[in-house]
Amino acid sequence: MADLIVSADLDHVNADLKDISAEFQHAQDNADPGAGVWGQRDVTKAMHDFAHNWYVHRDKIQGRLSSLSGRVDKACTTWAEGEKQLAEQIGAEHTETGSADA
C-alpha cells in the first residue's frame, strides 16, 4: 500500500495570496504625494497618476484575488477536516482490531 504524502504547499499559496491581496489593497498608500517614498517630485507625480488611472483594473484584480483566496481557504479547511476524519477512522479501526503495533 502506498503512503499518502501531503505537503503544506496549499497553506503557503494561501499565505502568498493574502500578502499579494494586501499589497494591492495598500498600493494607493505609496502613490499618494504625501507618502514621500519616491523622493523625486517627477517620480512621485508619475506614480500618483499611474495609481489613480488603473484603479478599475486594480479593483478587479483585488476582487479576483479575494475570491481565489477564499476558495483556497475553503480547500485548506476541507483538507484538514478530511485528514482529521481519516485519522479518527484509522484510529478506530486500529482499536477494533486490537492490534498492539502502531
Side-chain angles (χ1 to χ4, degrees):
M1 185 167 158
D3 290 331
L4 177 64
I5 299 173
V6 179
S7 69
D9 288 343
L10 200 56
D11 290 327
H12 295 298
V13 167
N14 199 21
D16 290 344
L17 280 171
K18 290 181 186 298
D19 289 342
I20 292 168
S21 183
E23 287 295 325
F24 270 85
Q25 186 175 0
H26 299 292
Q28 190 61 44
D29 297 345
N30 289 334
D32 289 333
V37 296
W38 303 109
Q40 196 172 23
R41 193 172 55 143
D42 293 345
V43 175
T44 300
K45 182 179 178 340
M47 290 305 296
H48 176 75
D49 292 347
F50 174 76
H52 284 286
N53 288 337
W54 81 290
Y55 73 92
V56 172
H57 302 292
R58 184 179 60 239
D59 289 347
K60 286 181 184 178
I61 293 170
Q62 177 71 32
R64 290 177 180 164
L65 283 170
S66 294
S67 175
L68 181 58
S69 180
R71 290 177 185 159
V72 173
D73 270 338
K74 187 173 180 177
C76 288
T77 301
T78 301
W79 177 262
E81 290 171 359
E83 190 175 33
K84 181 180 175 187
Q85 289 174 0
L86 285 172
E88 289 172 354
Q89 185 177 2
I90 290 170
E93 289 174 2
H94 183 71
T95 304
E96 288 174 7
T97 62
S99 175
D101 357 316

Coordinates of all heavy atoms in Angstrom, one line a residue:
M1 N 0.8 -1.2 0.0 CA 0.0 0.0 0.0 C 0.9 1.2 0.0 O 1.8 1.3 0.8 CB -0.9 0.0 1.2 CG -1.9 1.1 1.3 SD -3.1 0.6 2.6 CE -3.7 2.2 2.9
A2 N 0.6 2.2 -0.9 CA 1.4 3.4 -1.0 C 1.1 4.4 0.2 O 0.0 4.5 0.7 CB 1.1 4.1 -2.3
D3 N 2.1 5.1 0.5 CA 1.9 6.1 1.6 C 1.4 7.4 0.9 O 1.6 7.7 -0.2 CB 3.3 6.5 2.2 CG 3.8 5.4 3.0 OD1 3.0 4.6 3.6 OD2 5.1 5.3 3.2
L4 N 0.5 8.1 1.7 CA 0.0 9.3 1.2 C 0.9 10.4 1.7 O 1.2 10.6 2.9 CB -1.4 9.5 1.9 CG -2.1 10.9 1.6 CD1 -2.4 11.0 0.1 CD2 -3.4 11.0 2.3
I5 N 1.4 11.2 0.7 CA 2.3 12.3 1.0 C 1.6 13.6 0.9 O 1.1 13.9 -0.2 CB 3.6 12.2 0.1 CG1 4.3 10.9 0.3 CG2 4.5 13.4 0.4 CD1 5.4 10.6 -0.6
V6 N 1.6 14.4 1.9 CA 0.9 15.7 1.9 C 1.9 16.8 2.2 O 2.7 16.6 3.1 CB -0.2 15.7 2.9 CG1 -0.9 17.0 2.9 CG2 -1.2 14.6 2.6
S7 N 1.9 17.8 1.4 CA 2.8 19.0 1.8 C 1.9 20.1 2.2 O 0.7 20.1 2.0 CB 3.6 19.3 0.5 OG 2.9 19.9 -0.5
A8 N 2.5 21.2 2.7 CA 1.8 22.3 3.1 C 1.8 23.4 2.0 O 1.6 24.6 2.3 CB 2.5 22.9 4.4
D9 N 2.0 23.0 0.8 CA 2.0 24.0 -0.3 C 0.8 24.8 -0.4 O 0.8 26.0 -0.7 CB 2.3 23.3 -1.6 CG 3.7 22.8 -1.8 OD1 4.6 23.2 -1.0 OD2 3.9 21.9 -2.7
L10 N -0.4 24.2 -0.2 CA -1.6 25.0 -0.3 C -1.7 26.1 0.8 O -2.2 27.2 0.5 CB -2.8 24.0 -0.2 CG -4.2 24.5 -0.7 CD1 -4.0 24.9 -2.2 CD2 -5.2 23.4 -0.6
D11 N -1.2 25.8 2.0 CA -1.2 26.8 3.0 C -0.2 27.9 2.6 O -0.5 29.1 2.9 CB -0.8 26.2 4.3 CG -1.8 25.3 4.9 OD1 -3.0 25.5 4.7 OD2 -1.4 24.3 5.6
H12 N 0.9 27.6 2.0 CA 1.9 28.6 1.6 C 1.3 29.5 0.5 O 1.4 30.7 0.5 CB 3.2 28.0 1.1 CG 3.9 27.3 2.2 ND1 4.4 28.0 3.3 CD2 4.3 26.0 2.4 CE1 5.0 27.1 4.1 NE2 4.9 25.9 3.6
V13 N 0.6 28.8 -0.5 CA -0.1 29.6 -1.5 C -1.1 30.5 -1.0 O -1.2 31.7 -1.4 CB -0.7 28.6 -2.5 CG1 -1.7 29.3 -3.5 CG2 0.3 27.8 -3.3
N14 N -1.9 30.1 0.0 CA -2.9 30.9 0.6 C -2.3 32.1 1.3 O -2.8 33.2 1.2 CB -3.7 30.1 1.6 CG -5.0 30.8 1.9 OD1 -5.5 31.6 1.1 ND2 -5.6 30.4 3.0
A15 N -1.2 31.9 2.0 CA -0.5 33.0 2.7 C 0.0 34.0 1.6 O -0.1 35.2 1.8 CB 0.7 32.5 3.5
D16 N 0.6 33.5 0.5 CA 1.1 34.4 -0.5 C 0.0 35.2 -1.2 O 0.1 36.3 -1.4 CB 1.8 33.5 -1.6 CG 3.1 33.0 -1.1 OD1 3.7 33.5 -0.1 OD2 3.7 32.1 -1.8
L17 N -1.2 34.5 -1.4 CA -2.3 35.2 -2.0 C -2.8 36.3 -1.0 O -3.1 37.4 -1.5 CB -3.5 34.2 -2.2 CG -3.4 33.4 -3.4 CD1 -4.6 32.3 -3.4 CD2 -3.6 34.2 -4.7
K18 N -2.8 36.1 0.2 CA -3.2 37.1 1.2 C -2.2 38.3 1.2 O -2.6 39.4 1.3 CB -3.4 36.5 2.6 CG -4.6 35.6 2.7 CD -4.8 35.1 4.1 CE -5.9 34.0 4.1 NZ -7.2 34.5 3.8
D19 N -0.9 38.0 1.1 CA 0.1 39.0 1.0 C -0.1 39.9 -0.3 O 0.0 41.1 -0.2 CB 1.5 38.4 1.1 CG 1.9 37.9 2.4 OD1 1.2 38.2 3.4 OD2 2.8 37.1 2.5
I20 N -0.3 39.2 -1.4 CA -0.4 39.9 -2.6 C -1.7 40.8 -2.6 O -1.7 41.9 -3.0 CB -0.5 38.9 -3.8 CG1 0.8 38.2 -4.0 CG2 -1.0 39.6 -5.1 CD1 0.8 37.0 -5.0
S21 N -2.8 40.2 -2.0 CA -4.0 41.0 -1.9 C -3.8 42.2 -1.1 O -4.3 43.3 -1.4 CB -5.1 40.1 -1.3 OG -6.3 40.7 -1.2
A22 N -3.1 42.1 0.0 CA -2.8 43.2 0.9 C -2.0 44.3 0.2 O -2.2 45.5 0.3 CB -2.1 42.8 2.2
E23 N -1.0 43.9 -0.7 CA -0.2 44.8 -1.4 C -1.1 45.6 -2.4 O -1.0 46.8 -2.6 CB 0.9 44.1 -2.2 CG 2.0 43.6 -1.4 CD 2.8 44.7 -0.7 OE1 3.0 45.8 -1.4 OE2 3.3 44.6 0.4
F24 N -2.0 44.9 -3.1 CA -3.0 45.6 -4.0 C -3.8 46.5 -3.2 O -4.1 47.6 -3.7 CB -3.8 44.6 -4.7 CG -3.2 44.1 -6.0 CD1 -2.3 43.1 -6.1 CD2 -3.5 44.7 -7.2 CE1 -1.7 42.7 -7.3 CE2 -3.0 44.4 -8.4 CZ -2.1 43.3 -8.4
Q25 N -4.3 46.1 -2.1 CA -5.2 46.9 -1.2 C -4.5 48.2 -0.8 O -5.1 49.3 -0.7 CB -5.7 46.1 0.0 CG -6.7 46.8 0.8 CD -7.3 45.9 1.9 OE1 -6.8 44.8 2.1 NE2 -8.2 46.5 2.7
H26 N -3.2 48.1 -0.5 CA -2.5 49.3 0.0 C -1.6 50.0 -1.0 O -0.8 50.8 -0.7 CB -1.7 48.9 1.2 CG -2.5 48.4 2.3 ND1 -3.4 49.1 3.1 CD2 -2.7 47.1 2.8 CE1 -4.0 48.4 4.0 NE2 -3.6 47.2 3.8
A27 N -1.8 49.6 -2.3 CA -0.9 50.1 -3.4 C -1.1 51.7 -3.4 O -0.1 52.4 -3.7 CB -1.3 49.5 -4.7
Q28 N -2.3 52.1 -3.2 CA -2.5 53.6 -3.3 C -1.8 54.3 -2.2 O -1.4 55.5 -2.4 CB -4.0 53.8 -3.1 CG -4.5 55.2 -3.5 CD -4.1 55.6 -4.9 OE1 -4.4 54.9 -5.8 NE2 -3.6 56.8 -5.0
D29 N -1.5 53.7 -1.1 CA -0.8 54.4 0.0 C 0.5 54.9 -0.4 O 0.9 56.1 0.0 CB -0.7 53.5 1.2 CG -2.0 53.0 1.8 OD1 -3.0 53.6 1.5 OD2 -2.0 52.1 2.6
N30 N 1.3 54.1 -1.2 CA 2.6 54.6 -1.6 C 2.6 55.5 -2.8 O 3.6 56.2 -3.0 CB 3.5 53.4 -2.0 CG 3.9 52.5 -0.8 OD1 3.9 53.0 0.3 ND2 4.1 51.2 -1.0
A31 N 1.5 55.6 -3.4 CA 1.4 56.5 -4.6 C 0.9 57.9 -4.2 O 1.1 58.8 -5.0 CB 0.4 55.9 -5.6
D32 N 0.4 58.1 -3.0 CA -0.1 59.4 -2.6 C 1.1 60.4 -2.5 O 2.2 60.0 -1.9 CB -0.9 59.4 -1.3 CG -2.2 58.7 -1.6 OD1 -2.8 58.8 -2.7 OD2 -2.8 58.1 -0.6
P33 N 1.0 61.6 -2.9 CA 2.1 62.5 -2.9 C 2.7 62.7 -1.5 O 3.9 62.9 -1.4 CB 1.5 63.9 -3.4 CG 0.3 63.4 -4.2 CD -0.2 62.2 -3.6
G34 N 1.9 62.6 -0.5 CA 2.4 62.8 0.9 C 3.2 61.7 1.4 O 3.8 61.7 2.5
A35 N 3.2 60.5 0.7 CA 3.9 59.3 1.2 C 5.4 59.5 1.3 O 6.0 59.0 2.2 CB 3.5 58.1 0.3
G36 N 6.0 60.3 0.4 CA 7.4 60.6 0.5 C 8.3 59.4 0.2 O 9.5 59.5 0.5
V37 N 7.8 58.3 -0.4 CA 8.7 57.1 -0.6 C 9.5 57.2 -1.9 O 10.4 56.5 -2.1 CB 7.9 55.8 -0.5 CG1 7.3 55.6 0.8 CG2 6.8 55.8 -1.6
W38 N 9.0 58.1 -2.8 CA 9.6 58.1 -4.2 C 10.7 59.2 -4.3 O 11.5 59.1 -5.2 CB 8.6 58.4 -5.2 CG 7.5 57.3 -5.2 CD1 6.2 57.5 -4.7 CD2 7.6 56.0 -5.5 NE1 5.5 56.3 -4.8 CE2 6.4 55.4 -5.2 CE3 8.7 55.2 -6.0 CZ2 6.1 54.0 -5.5 CZ3 8.4 53.8 -6.2 CH2 7.2 53.3 -5.9
G39 N 10.8 60.1 -3.4 CA 11.9 61.1 -3.4 C 11.7 62.2 -4.4 O 11.2 63.3 -4.1
Q40 N 12.0 61.9 -5.6 CA 11.9 62.9 -6.7 C 10.5 63.3 -7.0 O 9.6 62.4 -7.2 CB 12.7 62.4 -7.9 CG 13.0 63.5 -8.9 CD 13.9 63.0 -10.0 OE1 13.9 61.8 -10.3 NE2 14.6 63.9 -10.6
R41 N 10.2 64.6 -7.2 CA 8.8 65.0 -7.4 C 8.2 64.4 -8.7 O 7.0 64.1 -8.8 CB 8.8 66.5 -7.5 CG 7.4 67.1 -7.4 CD 7.4 68.6 -7.2 NE 8.2 69.1 -8.3 CZ 8.0 70.3 -8.9 NH1 6.9 71.0 -8.5 NH2 8.7 70.7 -9.9
D42 N 9.0 64.3 -9.8 CA 8.5 63.8 -11.1 C 8.1 62.3 -10.9 O 7.1 61.9 -11.4 CB 9.6 63.9 -12.2 CG 9.9 65.3 -12.6 OD1 9.1 66.2 -12.2 OD2 10.9 65.5 -13.2
V43 N 8.9 61.6 -10.2 CA 8.5 60.2 -10.0 C 7.3 60.0 -9.1 O 6.4 59.2 -9.4 CB 9.7 59.4 -9.3 CG1 9.4 58.0 -9.0 CG2 11.0 59.5 -10.2
T44 N 7.2 60.9 -8.1 CA 6.0 60.9 -7.2 C 4.8 61.2 -8.0 O 3.7 60.5 -7.9 CB 6.2 61.9 -6.1 OG1 7.4 61.5 -5.3 CG2 5.0 61.9 -5.1
K45 N 4.8 62.2 -8.9 CA 3.7 62.5 -9.7 C 3.3 61.4 -10.6 O 2.1 61.0 -10.8 CB 3.9 63.8 -10.5 CG 2.7 64.2 -11.3 CD 3.0 65.5 -12.1 CE 1.8 65.9 -12.9 NZ 0.8 65.0 -13.3
A46 N 4.3 60.8 -11.3 CA 4.1 59.7 -12.2 C 3.4 58.5 -11.5 O 2.5 57.9 -12.0 CB 5.4 59.2 -12.9
M47 N 3.9 58.2 -10.3 CA 3.3 57.1 -9.5 C 1.9 57.4 -9.1 O 1.0 56.5 -9.1 CB 4.2 56.7 -8.3 CG 5.5 56.1 -8.7 SD 5.3 54.6 -9.7 CE 4.4 53.5 -8.7
H48 N 1.7 58.6 -8.7 CA 0.3 59.1 -8.3 C -0.6 58.9 -9.5 O -1.7 58.4 -9.4 CB 0.4 60.5 -7.8 CG -0.9 61.1 -7.5 ND1 -1.6 60.7 -6.3 CD2 -1.7 62.0 -8.1 CE1 -2.8 61.4 -6.3 NE2 -2.9 62.1 -7.4
D49 N -0.2 59.4 -10.7 CA -1.0 59.4 -11.9 C -1.3 57.9 -12.3 O -2.5 57.5 -12.6 CB -0.4 60.1 -13.1 CG -0.3 61.6 -12.9 OD1 -1.0 62.1 -12.0 OD2 0.4 62.2 -13.6
F50 N -0.3 57.1 -12.2 CA -0.5 55.7 -12.6 C -1.4 55.0 -11.6 O -2.4 54.3 -12.1 CB 0.9 55.0 -12.6 CG 0.8 53.5 -12.8 CD1 0.6 53.0 -14.0 CD2 0.9 52.6 -11.7 CE1 0.5 51.6 -14.2 CE2 0.8 51.2 -11.9 CZ 0.6 50.7 -13.2
A51 N -1.2 55.2 -10.4 CA -2.1 54.5 -9.4 C -3.6 54.9 -9.5 O -4.5 54.1 -9.4 CB -1.6 54.8 -8.0
H52 N -3.8 56.2 -9.8 CA -5.2 56.7 -9.9 C -5.8 56.2 -11.2 O -7.0 56.1 -11.3 CB -5.2 58.2 -9.7 CG -5.1 58.6 -8.3 ND1 -6.1 58.4 -7.4 CD2 -4.0 59.1 -7.6 CE1 -5.7 58.8 -6.2 NE2 -4.4 59.3 -6.3
N53 N -5.0 56.0 -12.3 CA -5.5 55.7 -13.6 C -5.9 54.2 -13.7 O -6.6 53.8 -14.6 CB -4.6 56.1 -14.7 CG -4.5 57.6 -14.9 OD1 -5.5 58.3 -14.5 ND2 -3.5 58.1 -15.4
W54 N -5.3 53.4 -12.9 CA -5.6 51.9 -13.1 C -6.4 51.3 -11.9 O -6.5 50.1 -11.8 CB -4.2 51.2 -13.3 CG -3.5 50.8 -12.1 CD1 -2.8 51.7 -11.3 CD2 -3.3 49.5 -11.5 NE1 -2.2 51.0 -10.3 CE2 -2.4 49.7 -10.4 CE3 -3.7 48.3 -11.9 CZ2 -2.1 48.6 -9.6 CZ3 -3.3 47.2 -11.1 CH2 -2.5 47.4 -10.0
Y55 N -7.1 52.2 -11.2 CA -7.9 51.7 -10.1 C -8.9 50.7 -10.5 O -9.2 49.8 -9.7 CB -8.5 52.9 -9.3 CG -9.6 53.6 -10.0 CD1 -10.9 53.2 -9.8 CD2 -9.4 54.6 -10.9 CE1 -12.0 53.8 -10.5 CE2 -10.4 55.2 -11.6 CZ -11.7 54.8 -11.3 OH -12.7 55.4 -12.0
V56 N -9.5 50.9 -11.7 CA -10.5 49.9 -12.1 C -9.9 48.5 -12.2 O -10.5 47.6 -11.8 CB -11.1 50.4 -13.5 CG1 -12.1 49.3 -14.0 CG2 -11.8 51.7 -13.3
H57 N -8.8 48.4 -12.9 CA -8.1 47.1 -13.1 C -7.7 46.6 -11.7 O -7.8 45.4 -11.5 CB -6.9 47.3 -14.0 CG -7.4 47.8 -15.4 ND1 -8.2 47.1 -16.2 CD2 -7.1 49.0 -16.0 CE1 -8.4 47.8 -17.3 NE2 -7.8 48.9 -17.2
R58 N -7.1 47.5 -10.9 CA -6.7 47.0 -9.6 C -7.8 46.5 -8.8 O -7.7 45.4 -8.1 CB -6.0 48.2 -8.8 CG -5.4 47.7 -7.5 CD -4.7 48.9 -6.8 NE -5.6 50.0 -6.5 CZ -5.4 51.2 -6.9 NH1 -4.4 51.5 -7.6 NH2 -6.3 52.2 -6.6
D59 N -9.0 47.1 -8.8 CA -10.1 46.6 -8.1 C -10.6 45.3 -8.6 O -11.0 44.4 -7.8 CB -11.3 47.7 -8.1 CG -11.0 48.9 -7.3 OD1 -10.0 48.9 -6.5 OD2 -11.7 49.9 -7.5
K60 N -10.6 45.1 -9.9 CA -11.0 43.8 -10.5 C -10.0 42.7 -10.0 O -10.4 41.6 -9.6 CB -11.0 43.8 -12.0 CG -12.1 44.6 -12.6 CD -12.1 44.6 -14.1 CE -13.2 45.4 -14.7 NZ -13.1 45.5 -16.2
I61 N -8.7 43.0 -10.1 CA -7.7 42.0 -9.7 C -7.9 41.7 -8.2 O -7.8 40.6 -7.7 CB -6.3 42.5 -10.0 CG1 -6.1 42.6 -11.5 CG2 -5.2 41.6 -9.3 CD1 -4.8 43.3 -11.9
Q62 N -8.1 42.8 -7.4 CA -8.3 42.6 -5.9 C -9.5 41.7 -5.7 O -9.4 40.8 -4.8 CB -8.5 44.0 -5.3 CG -8.8 44.0 -3.8 CD -7.6 43.6 -3.0 OE1 -6.4 43.9 -3.4 NE2 -7.8 42.9 -1.9
G63 N -10.6 41.9 -6.4 CA -11.7 41.1 -6.2 C -11.5 39.6 -6.5 O -11.9 38.7 -5.8
R64 N -10.7 39.4 -7.6 CA -10.4 38.0 -8.0 C -9.4 37.4 -7.0 O -9.6 36.2 -6.8 CB -9.8 38.0 -9.4 CG -10.9 38.4 -10.5 CD -10.4 38.4 -11.8 NE -11.5 38.7 -12.8 CZ -11.3 39.2 -14.0 NH1 -10.1 39.3 -14.5 NH2 -12.3 39.4 -14.8
L65 N -8.5 38.2 -6.5 CA -7.6 37.6 -5.5 C -8.3 37.2 -4.3 O -8.0 36.2 -3.7 CB -6.5 38.6 -5.2 CG -5.3 38.8 -6.2 CD1 -4.5 40.0 -5.8 CD2 -4.5 37.6 -6.3
S66 N -9.2 38.1 -3.9 CA -10.0 37.8 -2.7 C -10.9 36.5 -2.9 O -10.9 35.7 -2.0 CB -10.9 38.9 -2.3 OG -10.2 40.0 -1.9
S67 N -11.5 36.4 -4.0 CA -12.3 35.2 -4.3 C -11.4 33.9 -4.3 O -11.8 32.9 -3.8 CB -12.9 35.4 -5.7 OG -13.6 34.2 -6.1
L68 N -10.3 34.0 -5.0 CA -9.4 32.9 -5.0 C -8.9 32.5 -3.6 O -8.8 31.3 -3.3 CB -8.2 33.2 -6.0 CG -7.2 32.0 -6.1 CD1 -7.8 30.8 -6.7 CD2 -6.0 32.5 -7.1
S69 N -8.5 33.5 -2.9 CA -8.1 33.3 -1.5 C -9.1 32.6 -0.7 O -8.9 31.7 0.1 CB -7.6 34.6 -0.8 OG -7.2 34.3 0.5
G70 N -10.4 33.0 -0.9 CA -11.5 32.4 -0.1 C -11.7 30.9 -0.5 O -11.9 30.1 0.3
R71 N -11.5 30.6 -1.8 CA -11.6 29.2 -2.3 C -10.4 28.4 -1.7 O -10.6 27.2 -1.3 CB -11.6 29.2 -3.8 CG -12.8 29.7 -4.4 CD -12.8 29.7 -5.9 NE -14.0 30.4 -6.4 CZ -14.1 30.9 -7.6 NH1 -13.0 30.8 -8.4 NH2 -15.2 31.5 -8.0
V72 N -9.2 29.0 -1.7 CA -8.1 28.2 -1.1 C -8.3 28.0 0.4 O -8.0 27.0 0.9 CB -6.8 28.9 -1.5 CG1 -5.6 28.3 -0.8 CG2 -6.5 29.0 -3.0
D73 N -8.8 29.0 1.0 CA -9.1 28.9 2.5 C -10.1 27.7 2.7 O -9.9 26.9 3.6 CB -9.8 30.1 3.0 CG -8.9 31.2 3.6 OD1 -7.8 30.8 4.0 OD2 -9.3 32.3 3.6
K74 N -11.1 27.6 1.9 CA -12.1 26.5 2.0 C -11.4 25.2 1.7 O -11.7 24.2 2.4 CB -13.2 26.8 1.0 CG -14.4 25.8 1.2 CD -15.6 26.1 0.3 CE -16.7 25.1 0.6 NZ -17.9 25.4 -0.2
A75 N -10.5 25.1 0.7 CA -9.8 23.9 0.3 C -8.9 23.5 1.5 O -8.9 22.3 1.8 CB -9.0 24.1 -0.9
C76 N -8.3 24.4 2.1 CA -7.4 24.1 3.3 C -8.2 23.5 4.4 O -7.8 22.6 5.1 CB -6.6 25.3 3.7 SG -5.3 25.9 2.6
T77 N -9.3 24.2 4.7 CA -10.2 23.7 5.8 C -10.8 22.4 5.5 O -10.8 21.5 6.4 CB -11.4 24.8 6.0 OG1 -10.8 26.0 6.3 CG2 -12.3 24.3 7.1
T78 N -11.2 22.2 4.3 CA -11.8 20.9 3.9 C -10.7 19.8 4.0 O -11.0 18.7 4.5 CB -12.4 20.9 2.4 OG1 -13.4 22.0 2.4 CG2 -13.0 19.6 2.0
W79 N -9.5 20.1 3.5 CA -8.4 19.1 3.6 C -8.1 18.7 5.1 O -8.0 17.6 5.4 CB -7.2 19.6 2.9 CG -6.1 18.7 3.1 CD1 -5.0 18.7 4.0 CD2 -5.8 17.5 2.3 NE1 -4.2 17.6 3.8 CE2 -4.7 16.8 2.8 CE3 -6.5 16.9 1.2 CZ2 -4.2 15.7 2.2 CZ3 -6.0 15.7 0.7 CH2 -4.9 15.1 1.2
A80 N -8.1 19.8 5.9 CA -7.8 19.5 7.3 C -8.9 18.6 8.0 O -8.6 17.7 8.8 CB -7.6 20.8 8.1
E81 N -10.1 19.0 7.7 CA -11.2 18.2 8.2 C -11.2 16.7 7.7 O -11.4 15.8 8.4 CB -12.6 18.8 7.8 CG -12.8 20.1 8.6 CD -14.0 20.9 8.1 OE1 -14.7 20.4 7.1 OE2 -14.3 21.9 8.6
G82 N -10.9 16.6 6.4 CA -10.8 15.2 5.8 C -9.7 14.4 6.4 O -9.8 13.2 6.7
E83 N -8.6 15.1 6.6 CA -7.4 14.4 7.2 C -7.7 14.0 8.7 O -7.4 12.9 9.1 CB -6.2 15.4 7.2 CG -4.9 14.8 7.6 CD -3.8 15.8 7.4 OE1 -4.0 17.0 7.6 OE2 -2.7 15.3 7.1
K84 N -8.4 14.9 9.4 CA -8.8 14.5 10.8 C -9.8 13.3 10.8 O -9.6 12.4 11.6 CB -9.5 15.7 11.4 CG -9.9 15.5 12.9 CD -10.5 16.8 13.5 CE -11.0 16.5 14.9 NZ -11.8 17.6 15.4
Q85 N -10.7 13.3 9.9 CA -11.7 12.2 9.8 C -11.0 10.9 9.5 O -11.3 9.9 10.1 CB -12.8 12.5 8.8 CG -13.8 13.6 9.3 CD -14.7 14.0 8.2 OE1 -14.7 13.4 7.1 NE2 -15.6 14.9 8.5
L86 N -10.1 11.0 8.5 CA -9.3 9.8 8.2 C -8.5 9.3 9.4 O -8.5 8.1 9.6 CB -8.4 10.0 7.0 CG -9.1 10.1 5.6 CD1 -8.1 10.6 4.6 CD2 -9.7 8.8 5.2
A87 N -7.9 10.2 10.1 CA -7.1 9.8 11.2 C -7.9 9.1 12.3 O -7.6 8.1 12.9 CB -6.3 11.0 11.8
E88 N -9.1 9.7 12.5 CA -10.0 9.2 13.5 C -10.5 7.8 13.1 O -10.6 6.9 13.9 CB -11.2 10.1 13.7 CG -10.8 11.4 14.5 CD -12.0 12.4 14.5 OE1 -13.0 12.2 13.9 OE2 -11.8 13.4 15.2
Q89 N -10.8 7.6 11.8 CA -11.3 6.3 11.3 C -10.2 5.3 11.4 O -10.5 4.2 11.8 CB -11.7 6.5 9.9 CG -12.4 5.2 9.3 CD -12.9 5.4 7.9 OE1 -12.8 6.5 7.3 NE2 -13.5 4.4 7.4
I90 N -9.0 5.7 11.1 CA -7.9 4.7 11.2 C -7.6 4.3 12.6 O -7.4 3.2 12.9 CB -6.6 5.3 10.5 CG1 -6.8 5.4 9.0 CG2 -5.4 4.5 10.9 CD1 -5.6 6.1 8.3
G91 N -7.7 5.3 13.5 CA -7.6 5.0 14.9 C -8.6 4.1 15.4 O -8.4 3.2 16.2
A92 N -9.9 4.3 15.0 CA -11.0 3.5 15.4 C -10.8 2.0 14.9 O -11.1 1.1 15.6 CB -12.3 4.1 15.0
E93 N -10.4 1.9 13.6 CA -10.2 0.6 13.1 C -9.1 -0.1 13.8 O -9.1 -1.3 14.0 CB -10.0 0.7 11.6 CG -11.2 1.1 10.8 CD -10.9 1.3 9.3 OE1 -9.7 1.2 8.9 OE2 -11.8 1.7 8.6
H94 N -8.0 0.7 14.1 CA -6.9 0.1 14.8 C -7.3 -0.4 16.2 O -6.8 -1.5 16.6 CB -5.8 1.2 14.9 CG -4.5 0.7 15.5 ND1 -3.7 -0.2 14.9 CD2 -4.0 1.0 16.7 CE1 -2.6 -0.4 15.7 NE2 -2.8 0.3 16.8
T95 N -8.1 0.3 16.8 CA -8.6 -0.1 18.2 C -9.5 -1.3 18.1 O -9.4 -2.2 18.9 CB -9.4 1.1 18.8 OG1 -8.5 2.2 18.9 CG2 -9.8 0.7 20.2
E96 N -10.4 -1.4 17.0 CA -11.3 -2.5 16.9 C -10.6 -3.8 16.6 O -11.0 -4.9 17.0 CB -12.3 -2.2 15.8 CG -13.3 -1.2 16.1 CD -14.2 -0.8 14.9 OE1 -14.1 -1.4 13.8 OE2 -15.0 0.2 15.1
T97 N -9.4 -3.8 15.9 CA -8.7 -5.0 15.6 C -7.9 -5.5 16.8 O -7.4 -6.6 16.7 CB -7.8 -4.8 14.4 OG1 -6.8 -3.8 14.7 CG2 -8.6 -4.4 13.1
G98 N -7.7 -4.6 17.7 CA -6.9 -5.0 18.9 C -5.4 -5.1 18.6 O -4.7 -5.7 19.4
S99 N -5.0 -4.5 17.6 CA -3.6 -4.6 17.2 C -2.8 -3.7 18.2 O -3.1 -2.6 18.5 CB -3.4 -4.1 15.8 OG -2.0 -4.0 15.5
A100 N -1.6 -4.2 18.6 CA -0.8 -3.5 19.5 C 0.3 -2.7 18.8 O 0.9 -1.8 19.4 CB -0.1 -4.5 20.5
D101 N 0.5 -2.9 17.5 CA 1.6 -2.1 16.8 C 0.9 -0.9 16.3 O -0.1 -0.9 15.8 CB 2.3 -2.8 15.7 CG 1.9 -4.3 15.4 OD1 1.8 -5.0 16.4 OD2 1.7 -4.6 14.3
A102 N 1.7 0.2 16.3 CA 1.2 1.4 15.8 C 2.3 2.2 15.1 O 3.4 2.2 15.4 CB 0.6 2.3 16.9

